[in-house]
């Protein structure tokens, strides 16, 4: 059975390559037509997933998509995007423009994957570890402590939490060699211990499912797939988080054309289009037409879709599930809490030490991004008080003084902090804590700009 599926996939891949050679994609970048945005038009032979691949290239460059027009009826695909940089300006950097041409044009080679397995994947430079389980305060601290104990250094990673669930994709290296961890026995120990951490005291459902996998996929897309597979779109019965603003999603059938029309209204934010297109693609829906307008504070998206089998949405149950999944895809990246950015010299155990301090001071991490650039750790954390109260400004100030004002910076809104808090008995722990662990010797208080 597996051999037949593999052979079928190989034939399909060769057919797609042939179609691509006969109809190479065309990319037109126009900085003249629109007054306040760069217009990017992509024409190509159509295939399932190509829209996501194009959007992924643009969002990975941190470009802001303010408008989009999508059309993929028949065998041809055409997209038009209005994009700006993070400052709202046109794209004029020649290296960026050249990268877009090469990534989307005739010489590009899309390598999308819908791999759905979860586990540890060895590679040449690092080992990728994927985790999914029940969220709880201190979870990231516990996971990073286990990795440090196992002599693994987290060089890159991303953590999402949503609706009581948590998912993470981490790239780790061996402390001694600085390379990937390939020993099967050691990988088995890593998986076993991390699975034990993820299970915790959860008894309602399986906390984690870990297997060895071999494909390569996009980190943020993988996080969407993992949380979707973990059914994070199913809301808790108590609906304790129901006070925050929810996206407005509707699905109706257009019977004259055999389409289902999806309409989404939500607060705009970076990568919103990627999140919705990613979910539609991984749920096996095809976007035939679409319009996106995100020039104001609210984004409006409208898509004409069919299931990959050619049918529109067939039942009310399918409609409700699609609405739930799109809402969850939008909410996963909405970061609750105060944003803290840490920049310093990278070292083994850095993530463990920082997150342990958060945990010991009743801060829980709702989202995290960990990156290493030329030996420097550049980490972002979204934190909130584990009890649900505003973050204690004095605790944050104590953390920053101990670590270094230029190393840990507050990036969130002052509204996320309690500016006149009660005295916290834990705020005095930091002086002795940092001295006892000799953080200065690790370069944690060294200025970085």
């Amino acid at each position: 059975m597996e051999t037949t599926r593999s052979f079928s996939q190989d034939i399909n891949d060769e057919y797609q390559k042939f179609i691509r050679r006969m109809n190479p994609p065309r990319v037109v970048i126009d900085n003249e037509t629109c007054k306040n945005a760069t217009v990017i038009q992509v024409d190509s032979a159509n295939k399932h997933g190509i829209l996501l691949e194009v959007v992924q290239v643009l969002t990975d460059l941190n470009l802001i998509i303010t408008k989009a027009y999508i059309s993929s009826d028949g065998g041809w695909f055409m997209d038009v995007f209005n994009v700006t940089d993070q400052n709202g300006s046109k794209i004029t950097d020649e290296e960026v423009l050249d990268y877009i041409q090469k990534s989307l044009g005739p010489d590009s080679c899309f390598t999308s994957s819908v791999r759905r397995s979860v586990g540890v994947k060895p590679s040449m430079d690092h080992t990728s570890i994927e985790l999914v389980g029940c969220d709880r305060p201190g979870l990231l601290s516990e996971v990073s402590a286990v990795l440090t104990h196992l002599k693994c250094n987290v060089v890159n990673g991303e953590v999402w939490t949503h609706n009581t669930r948590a998912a993470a994709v981490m790239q780790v290296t061996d402390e001694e060699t600085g390379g990937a961890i390939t020993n099967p026995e050691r990988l088995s120990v890593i998986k076993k211990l991390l699975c034990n951490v993820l299970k915790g005291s959860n008894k309602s459902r399986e906390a984690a499912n870990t297997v060895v996998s071999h494909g390569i996929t996009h980190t943020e897309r993988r996080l969407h797939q993992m949380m979707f597979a973990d059914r994070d779109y199913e809301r808790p019965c108590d609906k304790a988080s129901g006070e925050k603003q929810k996206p407005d999603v509707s699905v109706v059938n257009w019977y004259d054309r055999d389409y289902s029309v999806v309409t989404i209204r939500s607060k705009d934010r970076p990568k919103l289009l990627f999140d919705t297109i990613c979910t539609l693609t991984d749920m096996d829906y095809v976007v035939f037409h679409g319009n996106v307008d995100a020039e104001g504070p609210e984004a409006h998206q409208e898509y004409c879709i069919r299931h990959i089998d050619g049918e529109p949405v067939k039942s009310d149950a399918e409609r409700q599930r699609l609405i739930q999944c799109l809402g969850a895809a939008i909410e996963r990246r909405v970061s609750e809490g105060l944003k803290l950015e840490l920049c310093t010299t990278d070292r083994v155990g850095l993530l463990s030490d920082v997150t342990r301090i958060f945990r010991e001071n009743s801060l829980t991490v709702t989202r995290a991004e960990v990156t290493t650039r030329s030996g420097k750790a550049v980490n972002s954390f979204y934190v909130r008080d584990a009890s649900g109260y505003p973050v204690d400004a004095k605790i944050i100030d104590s953390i920053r003084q101990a670590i270094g004002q230029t190393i840990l910076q507050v990036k969130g809104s002052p509204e996320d902090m309690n500016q006149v808090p009660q005295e916290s008995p834990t705020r005095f722990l930091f002086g002795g804590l940092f001295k006892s662990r000799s953080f200065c010797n690790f370069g944690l208080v060294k200025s970085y700009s």
Side-chain angles (χ1 to χ4, degrees):
M1 184 69 177
E2 188 65 34
T3 302
T4 302
R5 187 182 297 112
S6 177
F7 177 76
S8 176
Q9 182 65 44
D10 290 342
I11 293 294
N12 183 63
D13 289 344
E14 290 301 318
Y15 177 73
Q16 292 293 344
K17 290 177 183 178
F18 173 75
I19 295 296
R20 189 177 183 82
R21 285 195 299 268
M22 299 303 295
N23 301 279
R26 184 172 68 99
V27 180
V28 177
I29 301 177
D30 179 5
N31 262 324
E32 304 298 328
T33 301
C34 185
K35 180 180 180 181
N36 54 6
T38 298
V39 180
I40 300 174
Q41 179 175 324
V42 182
D43 300 316
S44 173
N46 194 18
K47 68 170 183 176
H48 181 56
I50 190 172
L51 173 60
L52 175 59
E53 292 168 351
V54 173
V55 171
Q56 182 175 301
V57 168
L58 299 179
T59 54
D60 282 351
L61 290 169
N62 290 320
L63 303 182
I64 305 298
I65 300 173
T66 58
K67 283 190 175 183
Y69 170 76
I70 301 161
S71 180
S72 61
D73 247 343
W76 198 252
F77 163 88
M78 185 190 79
D79 261 13
V80 180
F81 301 94
N82 284 17
V83 303
T84 69
D85 62 18
Q86 293 286 318
N87 298 317
S89 303
K90 293 184 179 183
I91 314 304
T92 57
D93 188 318
E94 290 297 330
E95 289 187 7
V96 174
L97 296 176
D98 184 59
Y99 179 84
I100 293 172
Q101 283 281 3
K102 289 181 178 179
S103 299
L104 301 178
D107 297 330
S108 64
C109 181
F110 292 129
T111 57
S112 68
S113 171
V114 292
R115 182 174 59 89
R116 297 178 183 275
S117 57
V118 181
V120 178
K121 167 175 63 66
S123 70
M124 294 297 293
D125 301 321
H126 59 262
T127 299
S128 290
I129 300 178
E130 299 177 354
L131 311 166
V132 63
C134 185
D135 186 30
R136 65 177 185 272
L139 178 61
L140 179 57
S141 173
E142 295 176 38
V143 168
S144 54
V146 168
L147 291 173
T148 299
H149 175 72
L150 296 172
K151 300 187 182 301
C152 302
N153 185 36
V154 180
V155 293
N156 292 291
E158 193 153 351
V159 180
W160 289 2
T161 63
H162 176 248
N163 204 16
T164 75
R165 309 303 293 170
V169 176
M170 295 181 172
Q171 297 176 354
V172 304
T173 58
D174 181 82
E175 178 182 347
E176 295 182 0
T177 67
I181 302 167
T182 57
N183 182 284
E185 293 183 2
R186 189 175 176 192
L187 289 175
S188 179
V189 170
I190 292 172
K191 288 191 294 182
K192 179 180 179 181
L193 293 182
L194 289 177
C195 190
N196 289 340
V197 169
L198 287 170
K199 286 180 179 178
S201 60
N202 179 64
K203 298 179 181 178
S204 61
R205 52 177 160 165
E206 179 115 6
N209 178 24
T210 58
V211 297
V212 175
S213 55
H214 303 286
I216 297 175
T217 192
H218 187 266
T219 296
E220 292 169 344
R221 184 179 185 188
R222 189 71 192 115
L223 287 166
H224 275 301
Q225 291 176 340
M226 292 161 64
M227 299 201 87
F228 171 74
D230 198 46
R231 305 172 73 90
D232 74 313
Y233 53 85
E234 296 180 343
R235 303 196 183 284
C237 294
D238 59 6
K239 298 189 177 182
S241 60
E243 296 299 321
K244 65 181 181 181
Q245 183 179 358
K246 301 292 183 182
D248 181 9
V249 184
S250 66
V251 180
V252 298
N253 279 0
W254 187 3
Y255 292 104
D256 291 344
R257 301 290 183 91
D258 288 329
Y259 291 127
S260 293
V261 180
V262 177
T263 304
I264 305 172
R265 289 183 175 87
S266 65
K267 183 178 179 181
D268 189 33
R269 59 165 175 75
K271 301 189 178 183
L272 178 64
L273 180 60
F274 170 83
D275 294 336
T276 54
I277 296 298
C278 179
T279 298
L280 288 171
T281 302
D282 282 334
M283 292 184 72
D284 290 330
Y285 290 102
V286 179
V287 177
F288 287 87
H289 302 285
N291 281 287
V292 176
D293 187 346
E295 288 191 305
E298 183 180 78
H300 178 265
Q301 304 176 61
E302 187 173 81
Y303 306 109
C304 295
I305 68 167
R306 292 180 189 145
H307 195 265
I308 198 171
D309 62 7
E311 296 290 330
V313 173
K314 300 176 183 177
S315 66
D316 186 62
E318 182 184 354
R319 178 181 295 104
Q320 290 302 319
R321 183 170 182 264
L322 178 56
I323 290 172
Q324 282 185 320
C325 291
L326 287 171
I330 294 171
E331 291 173 352
R332 287 172 195 141
R333 204 192 291 268
V334 175
S335 304
E336 298 180 353
L338 188 70
K339 183 179 181 181
L340 304 176
E341 286 190 356
L342 182 141
C343 301
T344 187
T345 303
D346 186 41
R347 63 173 175 81
V348 176
L350 175 62
L351 181 63
S352 175
D353 288 333
V354 172
T355 54
R356 175 176 52 82
I357 290 170
F358 292 160
R359 185 192 73 224
E360 290 174 348
N361 288 272
S362 299
L363 297 181
T364 184
V365 178
T366 61
R367 188 160 77 88
E369 296 177 15
V370 178
T371 58
T372 304
R373 304 169 187 165
S374 302
K376 296 289 185 180
V378 184
N379 303 341
S380 296
F381 304 96
Y382 291 84
V383 301
R384 63 183 179 188
D385 186 274
S387 301
Y389 295 106
V391 178
D392 190 328
K394 290 187 177 181
I395 285 182
I396 297 298
D397 186 57
S398 296
I399 294 173
R400 294 190 64 222
Q401 287 183 26
I403 295 178
Q405 297 285 346
T406 60
I407 300 227
L408 185 68
Q409 298 188 2
V410 179
K411 296 294 183 177
S413 167
E415 297 177 357
D416 294 323
M417 286 202 297
N418 182 356
Q419 299 297 331
V420 190
Q422 299 294 320
E423 286 292 329
S424 170
T426 59
R427 64 183 292 258
F428 302 105
L429 293 175
F430 292 102
L433 185 64
F434 275 89
K435 289 177 183 177
S436 66
R437 292 186 61 84
S438 302
F439 270 55
C440 293
N441 294 335
F442 291 109
L444 196 59
V445 295
K446 181 179 178 182
S447 176
Y448 171 70
S449 59

